[in-house]
Amino acid sequence: MPRHKLIASESDVSIEVDEGKDNEFSLYYVEVEENSKGGKEKQATRDGKRRRARNGEVSRRRASEKRTTNMANKRAEKKHEKHHKTTRKEGERHRKRQRRRIADEEEAEEESSKEKKNIKNERTKTLKLEDEKEKDVKKKRKKHVKNQEDDANPGKTKQKDCQDVPLKEKKKKRKKPETTSESESQSESQSESNSDSEAKDNQAVGVLGSLTPEELEKLKEAVDERKKLITTIKGKPWPMKKKLVILRESQEFVEKYEGALGKGKGRKLYAYKVLMMKKWMKFERDLENFKTACIPWEMKIKEIESHFGSSVASYFIFLRWMYGINMILFGLTFGLVMVPEALMGKPYGSMPRKTVPREEEASAMNFAVLWDFGGYAKYSVLFYGYYNNQRAIGWLKFRMPLSYFLVGVGTVAYSYMVVIRTMARNANEEGGGDDTSFNFSWKTFTSWDYLIGNPETADNKFASITTSFKEAIVEEQESRKDDNIHLTRFLRVLANFLVLCCLAGSGYLIYFVVRRSQKFALEGLENYGWWERNEVNMVMSLLGMFCPMLFDVISTLENYHPRIALQWQLGRIFALFLGNLYTFIIALMDAIQLKRAEEEIVKKNMTIWQANLYNGTVPDNSTAPPITVHPADVPRGPCWETMVGQVLGKSSSEFVRLIISDTMTTYITLLIGDFIRAVLVRFLNNCWCWDLEYGFPSYSEFDVSGNVLGLIFNQGMIWMGAFYAPCLPALNLLRLHVSMYLQCWAVMCCNVPQERVFKASGSNNFYMAMLLVILFLSTLPAIYTIVSFPPSFDCGPFSGKNRMFDVIQETLETDFPAWFGKVFSYASNPGLVLPFLLLLVLAIYYLQSTSKTYKRVNMELKKKLQTQNEENKKKNKLAALKAANELEQARKAGEQRSNSASDLGVNEESSSLDEAGHHRQAGQNGRLIHPSQSQHAQSSEPPVSSTHTTTRPPASRSHTASGHLPGTDGHALWLHCQKNGSQRGAGKCHGLLCPV
Amino acid sequence: MGNKQTIFTDEQLDAYQDCTFFTRKEILRLHGRYHELAPHLVPMDYTNDPDVKIPLALIVNMPELKENPFRDRIVESFSEDGHGNLSFNDFVDMFSVLSEMAPRELKAIYAFKIYDFNVDNYICKEDLEKTLNKLTKEELTPEEVNLVCEKAIEEADLDGDNKLSFADFENMISRAPDFLSTFHIRI
């Protein structure tokens, strides 16, 4: 703390608080106020020398009596010794007398730990004695007569005694800064401030002793209020200087009285509590800081946001969100499936399913094979087939198959939960912000992004704000003129019809191609050329390329608002992709059927092979352990589960490759494009048929919606395949990580944001809805395969079982007590399950209907509010007019009255005028707000208005304004108004204007 | 205390932390930024609270404010004298209000001050016009500006006095979805 400030505040703290600013506290604080006022007067009259003298004497006396005084006091003593030899002599004379008086005290003193406190008492007594004696030697020191009178005159009652204490403290406080500034010693000031706070406590106790319980209550309230103020001070709209001053005052106030409120043990406890509170606050602060520091890519995204605005950033935020989900999925599969298997399962090469077969051994380490998840990658923990069906593994007896199954179910369940929860939260947020009644004012006041610190972005932002204003203006004008609605309706229907035709056509095309490819596959692909082999892929990608363009063309027919048009467009592309996905799934199912047929054959061959093996090699010794064939040589089934995982993994890694190549091509084309643009646009633009800068070879846009769709579909693949390939979440994590950096880089380097308006906040739920649909659609086939196909006989954790979910049954039977299995079987009885389902349906129905009702009520309330607002507007207009008239009348009446009143008696006149003056003043201050004055009111008063949102009574403003009248009578009036009942009171003051 | 870099005492730092939304480090960094603006004026030792003010022209050149169309108004509304001379206290205050942690109500109060160009405690049409012209770099025609101003006032004005009082403004801004995300400056 700055020292000169301390001086000023310490002497004035309580006085300032009491007298003016905070009226709330003055009521509870009268007594102290009196004291401090007295002290102030005295201080004004007392000169510094005198004060120093007393201080020196006190400290000297204490030193000689106690012999335990600290260095600071000694130093002070030395300093003052020269000045006050006379006073010392006097003090010595009196010391004896005084000693006798306080002998008892001294004894206690020496032992007790509260030394300082006692010193304080003692000191006050010595001071008193000194004063008395001073009275005796008054004539010698004529200078100090007045002061001595002040000190000595008060009665010697107990009450007065405690009042005297603060006086002394006040004096001491005044002195302290001076001495410190003289000595410039840190330790001294500290020791003094210690004793100072002790003194304060003492003083507080003294004051408290004389308070009634009610006053104590009030004081407590005041302390609480101050505490609240301290915690909320950062939210107050005051200038920092004022905040600092008030903060310090409140802290001192709280310190002074809070400590005194609890006595003895409570005080210590309280101090401990305060300390812990502070620590806890600090901890919370740090935790918050840590949390924000932990959010990955925050700065990157913010940077992008500040360059390209929120729509591009929304893509990256979505990406990050997906990353988070995949992180958790990865944690589940990695921690509960892959790591236990790798650590505790049988090692690689111990059994056929964990070994690369002979025929593949040669190429198993080739990069191309590994890249397609073949070779060693296929026979590792990454895929379903590697896992053993051993019920419990390792010394932990980890139930591997059960864990595998539960993790598979858990990942899907978790994904559902997260998506739905996010959707619900988004819906909540949107509920607040979809109000379009403030379109223009929001655009005016909130469209500038204060974060922008880049000149180019600022230019972009200016441009986009301008266009948005123009759009809004056009929209506004259009909504007024309301063009041919039938035509637009017809066009929209037509457009939808066309799109449906497109979708149906492409669906049929895909179906046709897939059927053809199946035929080819049956006949053997070797007989056909490149086109026949890749027909399905080619057709699908061609459709994926051209259909969106077609949709775009069609959507121009519809004449929607760009944002809505974009949503339609996205929905249509989504439908197309779904067709894509489902043909893929159908093809996969077919492949599964094929593999299963193959598996049957292998199974048969297997038994033959085994029989041959035993017959051929060990004919005579049948009891010997089975001979060891190298596991790589054992024939095995095709393991369709691994195949599914492989295919999905491949298609997922296809996305990675796609993204990398996409980014590279964008960048290269942009480099070239930029160069060509620089050359061509410069020289050819004048003689070209279209504008090159805004026409075809312009910068490539960052396609937010397309990228989001890609992300969503890829996630669908992951969900579908996660059960059969535990590595897929990890793979996806890698992919997202890479694409995050690559795309960030690409965006910052070369892409320009999409021109289309796409509001991030509004579209989030659209993305989420698509994600939910994809999640549902991708878990369907996975569930179907789990439920309806028996697992492969020689690979995976469920081999040998009839169905995969049998693992639950098995666990229930073997690992749980019998009664549990019984209970479970009862619970799974249809007689119980059906009612339960019914109950669920009922609950859903009930909740849905209640939410509908709430919505309706909400709408009604909104309407009501709107109508009320409009009414208020009208009413206020009328009131303003009326009030103006009234004011005019009142002024005239007042003038007449004062003229006529001059004839009447003096008393009457003055009182009535006084009254009139009051009311007029109130009225004027309520109504016409002087700039400076009202500003003061606004800046210094906590915003009363913030609690009222829309339906504010018109009186409230006049109340706030009248709160701060210059001068004391205005102040009193305000207090009066406040007592009368806040706003109403002010309203009355306002209304009283007319009769006068 | 022992080490040399005592820009602030511990009490000062604590007080600043209580009065702002900043941590200790951030306050020290803010002081660094403030010092950077005018190395000759601003002392490195703030323990005795020197009375130093930096003029508006220097402050609006900070990269955080440079591109902001309302930079002059921001600085003016946070300065104690109203002319844009910022003491360190005002400086900290400004970035505290504009920080991410500041509550909506507080931000609204200062946003109102910023948009109230003529400091009459109302946002009148004149203020709106100025705001719009700053936002669009005067690319809208006067008719368009007029239309927008009228619409904005019509939307937000609750008491029908054809200008926006703070209550109107707060009511409007409290429902704006983007206000919190856009009305902050990262330092």
Side-chain angles (χ1 to χ4, degrees):
Chain A
M1 292 284 161
R3 256 163 224 152
H4 66 266
K5 261 196 161 180
L6 254 183
I7 298 167
S9 59
E10 279 202 344
S11 54
D12 305 333
V13 171
S14 47
I15 301 162
E16 245 181 37
V17 171
D18 301 331
E19 280 181 354
K21 285 178 189 165
D22 299 324
N23 302 295
E24 304 96 278
F25 304 114
S26 63
L27 296 171
Y28 321 129
Y29 201 24
V30 183
E31 212 159 334
V32 186
E33 192 183 344
E34 276 174 16
N35 292 336
S36 55
K37 268 181 185 168
K40 202 183 178 186
E41 280 165 29
K42 254 178 274 166
Q43 279 162 1
T45 52
R46 197 162 294 159
D47 62 350
K49 220 178 175 183
R50 165 81 179 81
R51 261 180 276 142
R52 239 173 267 146
R54 187 170 292 175
N55 192 32
E57 192 173 17
V58 167
S59 56
R60 186 182 49 74
R61 214 172 266 174
R62 184 170 45 176
S64 56
E65 280 172 9
K66 297 275 300 159
R67 318 261 177 239
T68 54
T69 41
N70 52 24
M71 287 302 293
N73 284 329
K74 271 183 186 169
R75 230 178 288 168
E77 175 194 2
K78 276 174 195 166
K79 206 170 289 157
H80 301 304
E81 244 171 359
K82 300 175 215 162
H83 300 277
H84 317 298
K85 275 175 184 167
T86 50
T87 46
R88 197 204 277 178
K89 275 176 199 165
E90 288 159 8
E92 270 169 357
R93 243 188 289 151
H94 280 272
R95 212 189 304 152
K96 285 173 193 170
R97 233 200 292 169
Q98 184 233 338
R99 253 187 190 168
R100 256 175 280 140
R101 279 197 198 176
I102 54 165
D104 299 343
E105 261 183 44
E106 260 188 54
E107 276 176 22
E109 217 176 90
E110 272 163 25
E111 287 154 18
S112 76
S113 58
K114 295 174 188 173
E115 267 179 9
K116 281 181 184 172
K117 202 176 169 183
N118 289 327
I119 292 168
K120 201 60 44 187
N121 295 336
E122 181 191 328
R123 200 189 302 169
T124 55
K125 275 180 187 169
T126 56
L127 284 170
K128 267 195 121 175
L129 288 170
E130 188 193 346
D131 287 335
E132 279 173 82
K133 210 210 58 192
E134 273 167 2
K135 214 174 169 187
D136 295 335
V137 292
K138 217 190 266 175
K139 283 158 196 171
K140 286 178 190 169
R141 294 194 228 149
K142 280 172 185 172
K143 277 190 208 166
H144 307 135
V145 171
K146 272 185 193 171
N147 319 327
Q148 286 155 5
E149 268 177 2
D150 271 341
D151 280 352
N153 276 346
K156 268 85 189 175
T157 58
K158 192 76 188 165
Q159 174 99 10
K160 269 300 155 192
D161 201 341
C162 23
Q163 275 190 357
D164 249 5
V165 180
L167 294 189
K168 304 287 147 67
E169 297 321 319
K170 272 279 172 295
K171 272 185 271 168
K172 228 186 108 224
K173 265 190 252 166
R174 252 289 166 91
K175 254 174 281 168
K176 214 158 293 150
E178 285 169 33
T179 51
T180 48
S181 60
E182 277 169 17
S183 63
E184 299 264 324
S185 133
Q186 193 86 30
S187 63
E188 188 177 350
S189 77
Q190 260 181 340
S191 70
E192 274 189 347
S193 71
N194 280 344
S195 64
D196 190 31
S197 69
E198 279 294 326
K200 267 190 233 159
D201 284 353
N202 252 20
Q203 170 194 356
V205 172
V207 173
L208 284 172
S210 62
L211 286 177
T212 61
E214 292 135 54
E215 279 169 326
L216 257 178
E217 265 313 299
K218 280 176 184 171
L219 194 61
K220 259 185 195 169
E221 265 172 44
V223 167
D224 282 346
E225 227 159 304
R226 288 274 172 152
K227 268 165 125 188
K228 222 195 268 167
L229 186 71
I230 288 173
T231 52
T232 58
I233 196 159
K234 53 173 79 166
K236 299 273 191 254
W238 301 329
M240 182 63 73
K241 224 180 201 171
K242 191 181 168 196
K243 272 196 228 171
L244 286 174
V245 168
I246 290 182
L247 176 78
R248 201 170 46 237
E249 281 168 11
S250 325
Q251 274 171 346
E252 271 166 17
F253 183 90
V254 168
E255 219 170 86
K256 198 154 65 178
Y257 288 101
E258 183 108 67
L261 281 175
K263 272 165 202 154
K265 245 188 178 178
R267 213 155 129 188
K268 257 187 191 167
L269 194 72
Y270 171 76
Y272 181 71
K273 246 189 198 166
V274 168
L275 194 75
M276 288 320 285
M277 193 77 111
K278 270 184 188 163
K279 286 244 165 95
W280 175 246
M281 294 247 287
K282 193 175 176 329
F283 174 72
E284 272 186 334
R285 237 182 227 172
D286 289 350
L287 195 73
E288 206 59 38
N289 284 348
F290 180 70
K291 261 192 210 158
T292 48
C294 276
I295 298 172
W297 302 307
E298 183 73 2
M299 287 317 287
K300 250 194 164 90
I301 289 174
K302 290 287 169 195
E303 204 182 334
I304 286 171
E305 196 173 26
S306 68
H307 274 91
F308 301 108
S310 51
S311 71
V312 176
S314 81
Y315 166 72
F316 286 99
I317 289 168
F318 188 70
L319 186 65
R320 188 175 61 185
W321 185 80
M322 294 287 260
Y323 188 84
I325 287 187
N326 277 290
M327 194 73 134
I328 288 172
L329 296 190
F330 169 71
L332 274 176
T333 51
F334 189 74
L336 291 176
V337 173
M338 286 163 82
V339 167
E341 174 68 27
L343 288 182
M344 300 187 286
K346 284 183 179 172
Y348 173 82
S350 57
M351 49 194 308
R353 69 183 66 176
K354 297 194 178 198
T355 325
V356 177
R358 261 301 165 240
E359 59 265 31
E360 288 175 31
E361 239 169 25
S363 63
M365 264 320 268
N366 290 1
F367 182 73
V369 176
L370 286 178
W371 183 249
D372 280 342
F373 300 107
Y376 282 109
K378 187 179 171 189
Y379 299 97
S380 69
V381 280
L382 303 183
F383 287 100
Y384 173 92
Y386 182 80
Y387 293 83
N388 196 4
N389 62 346
Q390 198 180 355
R391 225 174 63 76
I393 55 171
W395 52 273
L396 278 177
K397 297 280 165 217
F398 191 77
R399 306 278 190 271
M400 194 61 221
L402 179 72
S403 161
Y404 195 99
F405 187 78
L406 288 184
V407 164
V409 173
T411 51
V412 171
Y414 173 76
S415 310
Y416 269 111
M417 205 181 72
V418 166
V419 172
I420 288 174
R421 209 176 51 195
T422 315
M423 274 183 86
R425 206 172 44 223
N426 281 353
N428 269 349
E429 274 171 19
E430 272 168 34
D434 64 349
D435 205 344
T436 51
S437 53
F438 294 118
N439 190 10
F440 279 98
S441 17
W442 282 350
K443 273 209 168 70
T444 315
F445 292 120
T446 66
S447 59
W448 181 260
D449 198 338
Y450 279 59
L451 274 170
I452 290 174
N454 178 338
E456 286 161 36
T457 319
D459 281 343
N460 276 353
K461 191 78 188 173
F462 281 126
S464 80
I465 288 174
T466 312
T467 44
S468 82
F469 268 117
K470 284 194 168 151
E471 257 177 32
I473 290 166
V474 169
E475 235 172 76
E476 181 69 26
Q477 281 161 350
E478 256 177 26
S479 72
R480 277 184 201 158
K481 75 182 173 204
D482 184 56
D483 56 9
N484 192 349
I485 198 155
H486 295 292
L487 182 68
T488 50
R489 259 185 206 162
F490 170 74
L491 281 177
R492 278 173 194 182
V493 169
L494 184 72
N496 276 319
F497 178 72
L498 285 177
V499 168
L500 270 184
C501 285
C502 270
L503 283 178
S506 64
Y508 179 73
L509 194 60
I510 290 172
Y511 175 74
F512 176 76
V513 174
V514 166
R515 287 300 296 273
R516 228 158 74 106
S517 76
Q518 280 173 354
K519 201 177 74 192
F520 292 152
L522 279 180
E523 289 169 11
L525 278 174
E526 294 76 34
N527 312 331
Y528 296 93
W530 180 85
W531 171 255
E532 278 83 3
R533 253 183 274 167
N534 293 295
E535 204 177 36
V536 179
N537 284 337
M538 289 307 292
V539 166
M540 291 224 280
S541 48
L542 279 179
L543 279 178
M545 250 172 79
F546 287 108
C547 276
M549 287 189 195
L550 206 63
F551 294 158
D552 213 7
V553 172
I554 291 170
S555 70
T556 53
L557 278 179
E558 294 176 309
N559 201 16
Y560 275 125
H561 185 278
R563 202 185 311 154
I564 299 165
L566 189 60
Q567 287 200 350
W568 275 96
Q569 171 82 352
L570 282 182
R572 282 159 189 169
I573 297 174
F574 186 71
L576 189 75
F577 273 30
L578 271 190
N580 210 322
L581 186 76
Y582 259 71
T583 46
F584 180 75
I585 288 170
I586 288 166
L588 207 62
M589 288 290 176
D590 283 339
I592 289 172
Q593 294 294 354
L594 277 178
K595 292 267 173 182
R596 286 188 60 223
E598 200 182 316
E599 190 185 309
E600 287 299 313
I601 298 165
V602 172
K603 234 181 186 171
K604 268 179 209 157
N605 288 346
M606 189 83 165
T607 47
I608 297 167
W609 176 78
Q610 260 173 346
N612 282 343
L613 198 67
Y614 284 113
N615 289 340
T617 50
V618 201
D620 43 11
N621 192 359
S622 57
T623 54
I627 35 80
T628 51
V629 179
H630 192 271
D633 296 327
V634 176
R636 60 188 76 182
C639 199
W640 58 267
E641 292 98 335
T642 299
M643 189 269 297
V644 170
Q646 246 179 322
V647 168
L648 287 167
K650 251 188 263 176
S651 66
S652 170
S653 62
E654 201 73 31
F655 273 94
V656 180
R657 271 178 263 173
L658 202 79
I659 279 190
I660 293 173
S661 60
D662 197 40
T663 318
M664 295 312 282
T665 46
T666 332
Y667 194 60
I668 290 165
T669 49
L670 267 157
L671 274 182
I672 298 167
D674 208 27
F675 180 70
I676 292 173
R677 188 173 153 270
V679 175
L680 286 190
V681 170
R682 254 291 163 79
F683 299 110
L684 291 180
N685 207 12
N686 295 331
C687 54
W688 209 257
C689 22
W690 66 79
D691 190 354
L692 284 171
E693 272 188 61
Y694 295 99
F696 172 62
S698 68
Y699 288 104
S700 77
E701 288 179 352
F702 185 75
D703 182 13
V704 175
S705 42
N707 274 312
V708 168
L709 276 185
L711 212 60
I712 287 174
F713 271 88
N714 188 46
Q715 190 61 39
M717 300 276 184
I718 300 300
W719 276 322
M720 215 181 332
F723 188 74
Y724 297 117
C727 68
L728 276 189
L731 195 76
N732 200 31
L733 211 61
L734 203 71
R735 185 193 98 84
L736 291 176
H737 204 90
V738 168
S739 66
M740 183 63 144
Y741 281 103
L742 272 182
Q743 286 183 327
C744 271
W745 172 69
V747 160
M748 293 300 282
C749 279
C750 48
N751 279 347
V752 291
Q754 223 174 2
E755 265 176 48
R756 270 198 272 224
V757 257
F758 201 72
K759 232 179 150 197
S761 56
S763 60
N764 272 347
N765 247 6
F766 189 69
Y767 293 151
M768 283 293 157
M770 289 202 289
L771 196 65
L772 189 66
V773 171
I774 281 289
L775 176 57
F776 178 71
L777 291 178
S778 59
T779 46
L780 265 192
I783 289 172
Y784 175 74
T785 50
I786 288 170
V787 171
S788 55
F789 295 152
S792 303
F793 74 99
D794 64 344
C795 69
F798 312 113
S799 54
K801 293 194 176 59
N802 190 28
R803 290 284 184 268
M804 290 179 193
F805 53 82
D806 282 349
V807 70
I808 302 267
Q809 194 79 30
E810 192 191 71
T811 312
L812 279 177
E813 276 164 14
T814 52
D815 288 343
F816 284 90
W819 61 268
F820 196 85
K822 229 180 210 170
V823 168
F824 193 78
S825 68
Y826 279 132
S828 59
N829 170 354
L832 267 176
V833 170
L834 279 182
F836 183 68
L837 278 181
L838 201 68
L839 208 68
L840 270 185
V841 170
L842 281 180
I844 290 171
Y845 182 72
Y846 170 74
L847 285 178
Q848 206 217 353
S849 52
T850 46
S851 82
K852 247 185 202 165
T853 340
Y854 282 142
K855 232 180 224 170
R856 215 180 46 230
V857 169
N858 227 349
M859 286 300 290
E860 268 169 24
L861 275 178
K862 233 180 217 174
K863 253 186 214 167
K864 224 183 234 173
L865 267 181
Q866 242 165 5
T867 49
Q868 208 165 13
N869 279 346
E870 273 160 26
E871 263 174 39
N872 268 0
K873 268 190 205 179
K874 281 179 200 163
K875 227 187 257 172
N876 284 340
K877 258 183 197 170
L878 279 179
L881 276 175
K882 209 176 170 186
N885 285 338
E886 276 166 4
L887 188 71
E888 198 71 12
Q889 281 174 3
R891 195 172 290 150
K892 277 179 197 166
E895 278 165 16
Q896 282 175 1
R897 171 79 78 93
S898 61
N899 289 339
S900 60
S902 58
D903 304 333
L904 296 171
V906 185
N907 279 338
E908 211 178 317
E909 178 201 34
S910 64
S911 69
S912 70
L913 262 184
D914 204 32
E915 211 176 27
H918 259 208
H919 291 313
R920 198 180 302 151
Q921 197 174 8
Q924 275 174 349
N925 278 297
R927 291 202 56 262
L928 18 126
I929 297 164
H930 202 267
S932 65
Q933 191 180 315
S934 56
Q935 194 189 6
H936 170 60
Q938 206 195 346
S939 63
S940 63
E941 200 169 57
V944 182
S945 47
S946 63
T947 48
H948 313 277
T949 49
T950 48
T951 57
R952 164 204 313 281
S956 71
R957 188 178 304 149
S958 66
H959 161 64
T960 13
S962 69
H964 287 263
L965 304 177
T968 44
D969 58 345
H971 177 207
L973 184 72
W974 180 55
L975 275 181
H976 174 72
C977 285
Q978 220 180 15
K979 263 185 208 162
N980 265 358
S982 66
Q983 299 162 359
R984 296 292 162 207
K988 267 181 211 161
C989 291
H990 184 238
L992 274 171
L993 214 136
C994 34
V996 178
Chain B
M1 285 290 180
N3 42 6
K4 271 192 171 179
Q5 41 106 23
T6 46
I7 301 172
F8 299 105
T9 60
D10 280 347
E11 298 97 71
Q12 267 176 313
L13 278 175
D14 280 341
Y16 276 128
Q17 278 179 69
D18 278 328
C19 289
T20 64
F21 297 93
F22 289 126
T23 58
R24 195 189 174 88
K25 244 187 199 167
E26 283 167 326
I27 287 161
L28 288 174
R29 206 176 56 204
L30 270 176
H31 177 264
R33 294 297 306 272
Y34 189 68
H35 178 77
E36 244 171 54
L37 287 174
H40 308 299
L41 276 175
V42 182
M44 279 312 277
D45 178 24
Y46 250 79
T47 43
N48 47 9
D49 208 20
D51 185 29
V52 174
K53 286 190 175 175
I54 293 186
L56 179 137
L58 284 174
I59 287 173
V60 292
N61 267 332
M62 290 177 74
E64 282 84 2
L65 291 172
K66 209 172 179 184
E67 299 303 328
N68 199 316
F70 307 109
R71 53 186 175 274
D72 292 352
R73 279 301 306 155
I74 296 174
V75 176
E76 273 165 27
S77 32
F78 280 98
S79 69
E80 229 177 335
D81 55 3
H83 292 100
N85 299 319
L86 291 193
S87 66
F88 179 66
N89 280 342
D90 300 332
F91 189 76
V92 173
D93 206 19
M94 176 165 84
F95 285 108
S96 166
V97 170
L98 287 169
S99 75
E100 263 177 301
M101 315 284 281
R104 190 183 274 265
E105 297 82 37
L106 184 65
K107 281 179 184 258
I109 289 165
Y110 280 99
F112 183 79
K113 276 189 192 176
I114 287 168
Y115 293 122
D116 180 16
F117 281 82
N118 51 10
V119 206
D120 62 350
N121 273 338
Y122 285 102
I123 292 180
C124 51
K125 214 171 157 190
E126 202 183 314
D127 297 326
L128 272 173
E129 275 167 15
K130 273 188 190 164
T131 310
L132 268 179
N133 283 333
K134 285 200 184 258
L135 266 183
T136 58
K137 287 200 167 169
E138 305 188 16
E139 276 178 30
L140 293 181
T141 61
E143 294 85 52
E144 283 171 329
V145 170
N146 203 22
L147 180 84
V148 172
C149 291
E150 270 171 16
K151 288 298 294 179
I153 286 182
E154 188 188 315
E155 280 164 4
D157 185 21
L158 293 181
D159 46 14
D161 53 0
N162 266 330
K163 48 190 179 179
L164 304 184
S165 66
F166 177 65
D168 300 332
F169 183 78
E170 201 193 17
N171 176 35
M172 180 267 295
I173 215 85
S174 64
R175 302 198 213 159
D178 297 335
F179 176 62
L180 269 190
S181 62
T182 57
F183 194 76
H184 73 89
I185 291 180
R186 198 177 291 272
I187 188 155

